[in-house]
Amino acid sequence: MLEYILFDEHSWRRFIDYLRQLGLDPETSVAEEGWLIALPEDLDEALDVKIEAYYDQLLEGDEAAVAKREGEAHLHAAGVNVTLADGRIVQAVIDPKLMQRLLGAVSPRELGEFVDAIAAAVENPDERPLCQR
């Protein structure tokens, strides 16, 4: 699943409405860290690009709203969800500047695939050389 998080309920609802207008049926939930949306990973590439662009707009608005609301207490933070083999989801904290550079080069989907590959390799080590796999 592709997972998205927003930090403002209004933005979350706008994103859900947008996805439904595109003919999608997102899974939604609310967690301690924010409002969550999940979509299947097999989206058409052009549709994925549209969704990512809209999500980025909403996320920028969320950041500005949180900064305004929290003032000096506002901290820049970034992270990525890691799904473990047992189904648990944990968050890996990433320097926000590094995350911004990563997302400037790869899509969130590609970053998720990269993180999933690392998690799988850590949980199920295969010490054979790549040429023997």
Side-chain angles (χ1 to χ4, degrees), residues 63-76:
E63 182 178 357
V66 169
K68 183 177 179 180
R69 185 172 60 238
E70 295 183 5
E72 293 295 320
H74 176 65
L75 298 174
H76 290 279

Side-chain angles (χ1 to χ4, degrees), residues 70-118:
E70 295 183 5
E72 293 295 320
H74 176 65
L75 298 174
H76 290 279
V80 63
N81 286 348
V82 180
T83 304
L84 304 177
D86 65 5
R88 288 181 298 148
I89 297 175
V90 297
Q91 289 186 327
V93 177
I94 299 175
D95 178 276
K97 290 180 183 177
L98 175 59
M99 178 67 89
Q100 186 175 19
R101 289 182 26 227
L102 285 169
L103 293 177
V106 300
S107 71
R109 174 188 290 183
E110 292 167 323
L111 179 59
E113 290 171 0
F114 178 71
V115 169
D116 288 345
I118 292 171

Side-chain angles (χ1 to χ4, degrees), residues 24 41 43 48 61 69 78:
L24 300 170
E41 290 187 23
L43 295 176
D48 187 46
R69 185 172 60 238

Side-chain angles (χ1 to χ4, degrees), residues 9 11 14-15 27 29-30 33 45 51 54 57 61 72 90 98-99 104-105 108 110-111 117 120 126 130:
E9 184 177 4
S11 296
R14 286 179 53 203
F15 193 47
E27 292 180 22
S29 60
V30 178
E33 61 270 8
E45 186 69 30
I51 292 168
Y54 190 71
Q57 283 180 314
E72 293 295 320
V90 297
L98 175 59
M99 178 67 89
E110 292 167 323
L111 179 59
D126 184 348
L130 285 175

Side-chain angles (χ1 to χ4, degrees), residues 14-60:
R14 286 179 53 203
F15 193 47
I16 293 167
D17 289 344
Y18 178 74
L19 295 171
R20 288 184 178 148
Q21 288 173 9
L22 294 175
L24 300 170
D25 186 25
E27 292 180 22
T28 62
S29 60
V30 178
E32 187 175 313
E33 61 270 8
W35 287 265
L36 307 171
I37 300 101
L39 294 171
E41 290 187 23
D42 60 351
L43 295 176
D44 173 79
E45 186 69 30
L47 183 59
D48 187 46
V49 168
K50 286 177 68 173
I51 292 168
E52 293 300 331
Y54 190 71
Y55 174 69
D56 288 345
Q57 283 180 314
L58 292 174
L59 207 51
E60 284 179 25

